[in-house]
Amino acid sequence: MASYDVMVEVALRPGIADPQGATIERALPALGFTGISGVRSGKAFRFSVEAASQAGAREAAEDLCRRFLTNPVIESSVVTVAPGAAAGSGAAAGSGAAAGSGAAAGGR
């Protein structure tokens, strides 16, 4: 078994109201930030998974998303998996290929 670094990015699906993102966007001009639009809030989870392969780690993380980390009715997720630092790669969780269900990955 190897250790894999996982990052899960969770965001509201397109069309779902995002009052937190809207509030942030309205406040930006008063703080001197102009030209910024389309602000959406979200959350990120980072953790390690022990699995026989990177595909196995991805499957476990995606199952965790479906069953616990997201509300699939209103949220989408993007799962990124990379070999753990202990495996000798030194890779960060954000350096693996994205897959899953976020807007960047085509929806879940």
Side-chain angles (χ1 to χ4, degrees):
M1 293 282 242
S3 180
Y4 295 89
D5 293 331
V6 178
M7 182 173 64
V8 177
E9 297 174 86
V10 179
L12 292 169
R13 290 186 175 280
I16 301 295
D18 183 0
Q20 184 177 12
T23 299
I24 292 168
E25 187 170 331
R26 283 192 307 272
L28 292 175
L31 297 171
F33 297 98
T34 59
I36 298 172
S37 62
V39 176
R40 304 283 290 174
S41 64
K43 54 192 169 191
F45 300 95
R46 290 175 180 82
F47 52 92
S48 296
V49 173
E50 292 289 326
S53 66
Q54 190 164 341
R58 177 175 306 287
E59 183 178 324
E62 288 175 351
D63 186 42
L64 180 61
C65 284
R66 281 188 299 274
R67 296 175 56 194
F68 186 67
L69 296 180
T70 66
N71 176 345
V73 174
I74 63 169
E75 294 174 316
S76 61
S77 61
V78 175
V79 175
T80 305
V81 179
S89 71
S95 65
S101 58
R108 175 163 76 172

